[in-house]
Amino acid sequence: LQRVAAQARQLGAASATPVAADLSSPEGARIALQAALGAKGFNGGIDVLVLNHIIGFWGWTLPDNITSAKAHELGEVSKRVGSFEAMERIIDVNTVSYMKLAVLAAPALVRSGTEKPGLGGRLVVVSSLAGKLGLPKVAPYSASKHALHGFFDSLRIEFVAKQLPVTVTLCTLGLIDTENARNQTAGDLKNSPKASPADETAMAILRAGATGCVDISGSF
């Protein structure tokens, strides 16, 4: 995080302050947001909130021995891919923390949108095509992304109904060419469309958020 902050400053950011927090914990979102609001350069306000933190997960399957279960025997998650606790952590980080951060930041975003029309009050949510389609090997991750669309499409209506100057942009991404994605899916996606360059995808997210676009989808 310190390296990312240093690079941001080198690229011209007026300030960049990394904040580490456990977003799977009940108070993690509140702690992170309070730290950001109190950071140098923020002055207690937020113009743009981009939600793009995840627990990525590839390879989730049902157990191989599911057909041999005896009467009254309950199913379990395949031991190769984690546990029910791991599934809950994915939902907590990928979904619940997004919801918490958005609601907690709403007053600051409304204030920014009022004081800086056309510039402030931007809420950007990075999702995935796995949130629009059911896909193999990613069931818990896909569930966490599906929930984002239901919540933030509804939250957008709440802002409109209350005539609050906050835009909600959902970025529904396809496969992105990152080292982590290549390592996790090695050999599994050889027949899939070419992955999108990470830098071009980042620029697409920035443009969509800056213009208050409702939704962008696919590869870039």
Side-chain angles (χ1 to χ4, degrees), residues 123-216:
L123 176 56
V124 182
V125 182
V126 179
S127 184
S128 165
L129 287 175
K132 293 286 187 75
L133 303 169
L135 298 172
K137 295 192 175 184
V138 292
Y141 175 81
S142 182
S144 74
K145 292 298 186 178
H146 270 76
L148 292 182
H149 290 267
F151 181 83
F152 285 99
D153 282 342
S154 299
L155 183 63
R156 185 186 298 111
I157 296 171
E158 290 283 338
F159 285 130
V160 172
K162 296 182 182 299
Q163 298 183 327
L164 298 173
V166 178
T167 61
V168 179
T169 299
L170 272 162
C171 302
T172 309
L173 309 184
L175 181 62
I176 310 303
D177 186 19
T178 65
E179 182 179 356
N180 185 57
R182 289 193 297 271
N183 290 339
Q184 284 203 358
T185 63
D188 285 340
L189 300 177
K190 57 186 176 183
N191 296 321
S192 298
K194 184 179 179 181
S196 299
D199 55 348
E200 293 180 18
T201 302
M203 285 304 302
I205 293 170
L206 288 173
R207 286 193 296 268
T211 58
C213 181
V214 170
D215 195 339
I216 60 171

Side-chain angles (χ1 to χ4, degrees), residues 24-45:
S24 69
S25 68
E27 287 299 308
R30 189 182 300 275
I31 292 169
L33 197 59
Q34 286 176 333
L37 288 170
K40 177 185 177 183
F42 280 74
N43 300 317

Side-chain angles (χ1 to χ4, degrees), residues 38-58:
K40 177 185 177 183
F42 280 74
N43 300 317
I46 295 176
D47 295 329
V48 182
L49 176 63
V50 180
L51 300 175
N52 187 32
H53 54 278
I54 62 164
I55 295 178
F57 199 96
W58 182 265

Side-chain angles (χ1 to χ4, degrees), residues 3 7 10 13 15 18 22 29 38-39 42 49 79 90 93-94 117-118 124 144 159 165 218:
R3 287 197 300 270
Q7 185 176 14
Q10 289 174 359
S15 65
D22 179 5
F42 280 74
L49 176 63
K79 298 303 180 184
I90 289 171
V93 172
N94 294 7
V124 182
S144 74
F159 285 130

